[in-house]
Every structure is written in C-alpha cells, then in structure tokens.
Amino acid sequence: MNVSRCLRFVLYLALIPAAAMAQDRRPSHCIAIADAGGFIHKAAFADPLDAYSVRLNYVDHAMFLIETAGGLRVATDYTGFLGSVPPPDAVTMNRAHISHWTPTPDPEIPHVLPGWSERVGEPADHNLDLGEMLIRSVSTDIRSAAGAGREENGNSIFVFEVAGLCIGHLGHLHHEPTDEQYAALGRLDVVMAPVDGGLTVDLPTMVRTLQRLRSSVVIPMHWFGPYSLDRFVAGMEAEFDVDRRAESFLEVSLNTLPSRPTIVVLQPAYLAEAR
C-alpha cells in the first residue's frame, strides 16, 4: 500500500469513532479526501467479502445491489424486484421514470430513500448512517413531464460511503452537475453512470461529467443495447481503460482500485441466493 493510500485509510478509520460522538451528522470522508489508485477482482453474489471490500451487483437498467463485508445490502434506483433474494436493508429511488422507483416498496425494507422531497422544489437531503455505510443525497433538477421546463431538486445523485470508498450513483441525470453539486459529491472512487445519450444527458455532457469526476471506476448503466453502450465507450477510451466483463458483479476495495481510470462494463442479471 503506498503512502497516499495509507493516509486515506488511516483518515477513514479515524472518522469511525468521531461519527459515534457526532450530535448531528457523520462527516463525509468523500468530501474530505481526494485521491485514488490498483486492481479490481471478481466475486459472486452473497459470498463472504474480505474486510474493507464492497461487492457491486448490476441487476437491471439503473438498479444495483451493494453488499458490504458486514452483510449490509443496499439497492439503488429500486424498482421493487431484485430477484429471488430477501429485501435489502435500504433502497434509493429516483422518479424521473417508473423504471427507477416503485410506489409500493416492500414494507420489510427498513429504509426507503426517495430522491425527491414531498415539498416540490426542496432537496431530498438524505444522510442515513447505517454504521458500516453512510448514504447521502445530492439533489439535481429534472426535466418536466412535458420536457419544456425544469423541476428544481426533482431527483438525487446518491453517494454511498463504505469501507473507505466513495461510490456514486448518478441516477436519471438531466444536466451536468453545477460547481456546487460537484463539491457536494466530493471524491467518487466508483461511479455508476447513465450512458443512453438522450433520455438522461447527451453523450458529450456525460463524457464531460465523468472526465471532471475522474473516478477510478466507471460502471455504465441505463444503456439500451450494444449501440448506445459502444458509443459511450468509444467516447471515453482515449482517457479511460476499458474492462469488458461477462459477469454482472465486481468486488472492489480502497487498496484494489485501478491505477488508471477504468470503465468496467458489467452485464445486468437478477439475483438469486445460493442453494
């Protein structure tokens, strides 16, 4: 482990007791620290994880299931069905389209985090401390249903802070983040990015956004067949390595991030517990 990564790891551990004493909100180590660097390796859903590792399962469309070493399971842009698995511990949702949320989440899910506020125009402003993971939201605007206007703070980018990593899910992004939103996101080691090139942001905007985020790992999502996926990859491969996989999952830790920004293409698949 190099000096930079050692420092980040020590700072990450130092935040844990501080969080327990905080009266209001646990501090974000994603905003406090900025750096990256390593290698990604494969794993299987529900298998035991090494300490300080996270497994990312690409389930469908924009839905992922994040697994932690301590057994937490959190779903992004949850539509109500992950496969033949128990309900997760928490879910996030965005309402730009019904393929990113469900009006009837399983009542057994302890934490359901909508990316919008019941008060139109106000940010969702989530900051859920699950001990092993901190989930927070950065609100963004969405196009109106008619496409002629914009609804302020209609959706959210969710950030999952776990195992020293900062994992971002851009959701159904409709505009490039502002400087203030980039600052609120902080460092993102891993980012799930919609690459359809139209229903969310256009391809040049997505490329520009990811170039600015400079995450170690970019996982394309929200693609509709090889054409939109390949267009995105072609626009990124000059600055990013490309790792195309047949699997739907990867395991990553702070110490195994790639040394050069890498696009990791996963194949979506519903989940099933091993029998």
Side-chain angles (χ1 to χ4, degrees):
M1 186 181 291
N2 63 32
V3 173
S4 174
R5 265 178 274 162
C6 282
L7 176 61
R8 291 172 62 194
F9 188 67
V10 169
L11 288 172
Y12 162 65
L13 292 178
L15 286 173
I16 296 176
M21 295 184 291
Q23 293 182 354
D24 295 317
R25 291 194 169 199
R26 171 172 160 186
S28 167
H29 69 265
C30 302
I31 296 174
I33 311 168
D35 190 17
F39 173 76
I40 308 167
H41 54 95
K42 298 183 289 185
F45 170 69
D47 281 354
L49 275 161
D50 292 337
Y52 308 111
S53 294
V54 178
R55 184 176 301 120
L56 305 173
N57 302 276
Y58 186 19
V59 181
D60 181 52
H61 196 56
M63 187 163 55
F64 290 77
L65 185 73
I66 304 171
E67 298 178 88
T68 72
L72 275 177
R73 294 180 179 180
V74 176
T76 70
D77 278 29
Y78 180 68
T79 62
F81 182 71
L82 291 163
S84 56
V85 295
D89 299 289
V91 301
T92 66
M93 301 190 298
N94 272 303
R95 66 170 178 176
H97 294 285
I98 194 62
S99 55
H100 294 255
W101 69 290
T102 174
T104 56
D106 190 324
E108 293 187 15
I109 299 171
H111 305 283
V112 177
L113 308 182
W116 62 94
S117 172
E118 292 183 0
R119 297 181 179 181
V120 176
E122 292 190 9
D125 196 27
H126 293 294
N127 196 281
L128 176 63
D129 191 342
L130 296 174
E132 193 180 10
M133 179 189 293
L134 175 69
I135 306 174
R136 58 187 180 85
S137 62
V138 176
S139 290
T140 61
D141 301 343
I142 60 172
R143 293 184 291 269
S144 64
R150 176 178 287 195
E151 180 182 327
E152 189 175 0
N153 297 319
N155 272 341
S156 291
I157 296 171
F158 282 92
V159 180
F160 308 86
E161 305 192 13
V162 55
L165 292 164
C166 303
I167 301 169
H169 187 284
L170 298 184
H172 208 280
L173 190 66
H174 286 182
H175 63 88
E176 182 176 0
T178 64
D179 288 343
E180 293 78 10
Q181 289 164 338
Y182 277 120
L185 290 173
R187 183 195 86 248
L188 295 182
D189 300 297
V190 180
V191 63
M192 297 88 141
V195 302
D196 57 277
L199 290 175
T200 56
V201 297
D202 58 63
L203 190 58
T205 301
M206 180 50 63
V207 170
R208 187 168 61 248
T209 299
L210 294 173
Q211 287 172 334
R212 176 160 176 176
L213 288 172
R214 202 66 182 175
S215 301
S216 296
V217 176
V218 175
I219 304 176
M221 65 175 187
H222 208 266
W223 43 271
F224 301 92
Y227 176 73
S228 57
L229 177 62
D230 291 346
R231 281 186 66 232
F232 165 74
V233 171
M236 297 287 290
E237 58 188 359
E239 296 185 44
F240 288 68
D241 289 342
V242 179
D243 179 2
R244 290 181 178 266
R245 300 190 174 202
E247 299 83 15
S248 62
F249 46 80
L250 65 86
E251 185 179 332
V252 63
S253 69
L254 186 62
N255 194 39
T256 62
L257 291 170
S259 57
R260 188 170 187 265
T262 301
I263 297 166
V264 179
V265 178
L266 301 176
Q267 304 304 315
Y270 288 105
L271 301 171
E273 294 276 17
R275 295 184 181 277

